Amino acid sequence: MTRMKSTLDTNSDDFRANDAAYRAKNAELHELRLQQRIGGPQKARDRHIKKGKMLPRERVERLVDPGTPFLELGELAGLDKYDGVPPGAGIITGIGMIEGRHCMIIANDATVKGGTYFGMTCKKHVRAQKIAWNNRLPVVTLVDSGGAFLPEQANIFPDEGQFGSIFHQQVGMSGDGVPQIAVVMGPCTAGGAYIPALCDEVVIVRGQGFMYLGGPELTFAATGEKVDAENLGGGKMHSSVSGVTDHLAEDDAHALAITREIVSHLGELPKTRKTPATPTPPAYPTDEIHGIVSRDIKVPTDNREVLARLLDDSEFHEFKPLFGDTLMTGWGRIHGHEVGILANTGVLFVEAALKATHFISLCVQREIPLLFLADVNGFMVGREVEQAGIAKAGAKMITAMSSARVPKFTVITGGSYGAGYLAMLGRPFQPDAMFAWPSGRSAIMGPDQAASVLAQVRVQINAREGTEWTPEEEEAFKAPIRKEYEDFQGAYNYASNLWIDSVIEPGETRDVMALMLDVASRRPKVETKFGVFRF
Ligand code: COA
């Protein structure tokens, strides 16, 4: 391996200005995370605690092994989407360690609109299940939810990817041997009752957890039968009469202790398929990335300097360094886990796409996970590259990237646009996990380009109709398009829509990837079947 050499001047004005700009971005991220962590309004939290319940985050903390990290996913989902709802869409999802085993934890936040499911809540729950399924992670669901947020039915009821998909995936996961445990810590009504019912083992809290297809009011309205909640769907009834639940707990703490015990009996922990090396920090401080990422989107970032601060000991065995040099490809380690890196250093040309294709196929053959660090304006355009066959070179890269069944991950570090976004393992290609830094942004094209293209179309129509624009009219046409693209392309819009799994700080990247790589290294190997390559 070769240690990357940095030529960074940390005393330069440029470094300092970049650093200050990035730290402001990180502060914004922490502010948003804080809003999510608080949960629902004070009144709802007070009522929740008064009922003797733990707040959802305390439950998660109590569930995981002390001192181990909880990698939260989708924490900003639904940001600014629903009136009076903090980011997170009323549900907490993430990977945490229970009894030495990584598990997917899904926890309703009953302080946010009674823990009910919005469209984004469904999408987030389904996504968490998908990550668990891909990685064969046991799923522990802490249920405390009023079920569907009724005014949102179009986004929760009829379609694939909505509430019903939670059940469909539960069944599929179970068929693949993924353990699922539910802890009923609050209401669990109607469709919601199927979440625990479809789990392997169910814990319920006495006097606090309730499961029924129709609550007391609905039962009375439908049948005239008068029955209290406890007899209709309480913990004692379900644990001793119906058999719908398996373990009766006295309170939240007891329920979580039982859950930890259940996880301790899930059998032997799957071994890693490869032995990681001893982890070492990068030779250059990761913190310096803040001063490297360009604050001016018109000035490119030196991603070679960035990479030197992400890899163990800054060691990078570069593949084809002299060929297709707008894309770096090569191998390094993150916390000891070997990983194949593809990182942009410019626009994608024919050579870069061919290099990527070759590199991906090597990683597939060697069973090495892929990490795409995306910062790309797209593929090169123009007569020369078209005649050189950039369409088929790009198609080869996409075929290789899309076919590869090794674990694969994306981090959008800068601008990721157009077909470049897609070829660098965009969301449609189902990365195992996808993150963006606060500097990350992505769209079909940049705001200026989009405004110019649409203005160009309009100019042609004007010419056809014999009219002409004044420069002021042209600018009045372009400005709102630019604004729309600016708003669209930000990392937080991607996080809000769950087009990425989380926004992470550059300094968090190594730890996040280490956890994901460890988890992925324990899942069974999946054979890659490459599609047809166009030559
Ligand atoms: N759809 C839309 N909003 C709902 C809702 C639902 N299914 N259930 C609760 N809410 C809203 C309430 O209107 C209230 O909103 P607000 O904060 O703007 O006032 C908020 O969630 C909290 O509800 P509240 O009843 O005060 O909380 P709680 O902790 O006392 O009780 C529930 C929570 C979930 C037990 C109770 O609200 C309930 O039974 N809801 C209906 C459940 C149901 O039948 N769902 C159908 C599923 S198909």
Side-chain angles (χ1 to χ4, degrees), residues 1-4 274 307 311-312 314-321 328-334 337-342 355-356 358-371 406:
M1 286 268 203
T2 312
R3 183 181 285 176
M4 298 177 89
K274 295 206 169 182
L307 190 58
L311 299 178
D312 285 14
S314 305
E315 285 192 342
F316 185 50
H317 175 53
E318 191 163 358
F319 176 70
K320 281 185 179 289
M328 279 188 283
T329 54
W331 294 274
R333 289 184 185 270
I334 295 180
H337 294 277
E338 191 173 21
V339 65
I341 306 273
L342 296 97
K355 177 162 98 170
H358 187 169
F359 180 71
I360 292 167
S361 67
L362 290 177
C363 289
V364 166
Q365 187 142 64
R366 297 173 193 179
E367 277 189 68
I368 297 173
L370 293 165
L371 172 59
V406 290

Side-chain angles (χ1 to χ4, degrees), residues 41 43 47 51 53 110 112-116 145-151 187 189-192 217:
K43 203 169 80 180
R47 282 190 64 217
K51 289 178 192 163
K53 294 165 148 193
V112 179
K113 301 285 177 196
T116 51
S145 163
F149 184 81
L150 293 171
T189 316
E217 298 81 11

Side-chain angles (χ1 to χ4, degrees), residues 73-261:
L73 298 166
E75 60 188 340
L76 300 181
L79 170 69
D80 293 335
K81 275 199 193 301
Y82 309 107
D83 206 20
V85 174
I91 198 165
I92 300 166
T93 61
I95 301 172
M97 189 168 271
I98 305 173
E99 293 286 331
R101 182 187 288 260
H102 277 125
C103 296
M104 177 59 73
I105 299 170
I106 302 176
N108 300 122
D109 186 346
T111 70
V112 179
K113 301 285 177 196
T116 51
Y117 279 68
F118 297 82
M120 197 48 71
T121 322
C122 299
K123 190 172 176 181
K124 184 166 160 181
H125 194 134
V126 166
R127 173 67 186 158
Q129 287 181 311
K130 197 84 188 170
I131 291 175
W133 195 351
N134 282 346
N135 293 294
R136 301 293 193 270
L137 292 178
V139 181
V140 178
T141 310
L142 308 183
V143 191
D144 192 350
S145 163
F149 184 81
L150 293 171
E152 261 266 294
Q153 75 168 315
N155 297 320
I156 47 182
F157 180 61
D159 204 3
E160 193 185 331
Q162 302 179 344
F163 207 97
S165 288
I166 297 172
F167 312 142
H168 183 57
Q169 296 206 132
Q170 281 189 272
V171 176
M173 278 194 275
S174 190
D176 276 349
V178 177
Q180 295 170 75
I181 300 153
V183 193
V184 184
M185 310 179 103
C188 200
T189 316
Y194 285 112
I195 294 178
L198 287 165
C199 281
D200 304 350
E201 283 190 61
V202 183
V203 185
I204 189 164
V205 181
R206 190 197 295 269
Q208 184 182 306
F210 298 96
M211 275 176 81
Y212 24 59
L213 296 190
E217 298 81 11
L218 182 72
T219 301
F220 180 70
T223 67
E225 186 188 5
K226 278 192 179 168
V227 56
D228 64 21
E230 197 56 52
N231 279 304
L232 190 64
K236 182 151 181 282
M237 188 286 284
H238 277 316
S239 302
S240 61
V241 181
S242 73
V244 169
T245 58
D246 311 303
H247 307 273
L248 182 60
E250 296 307 320
D251 56 18
D252 280 7
H254 186 207
L256 296 167
I258 295 172
T259 309
R260 288 180 53 81
E261 216 174 309

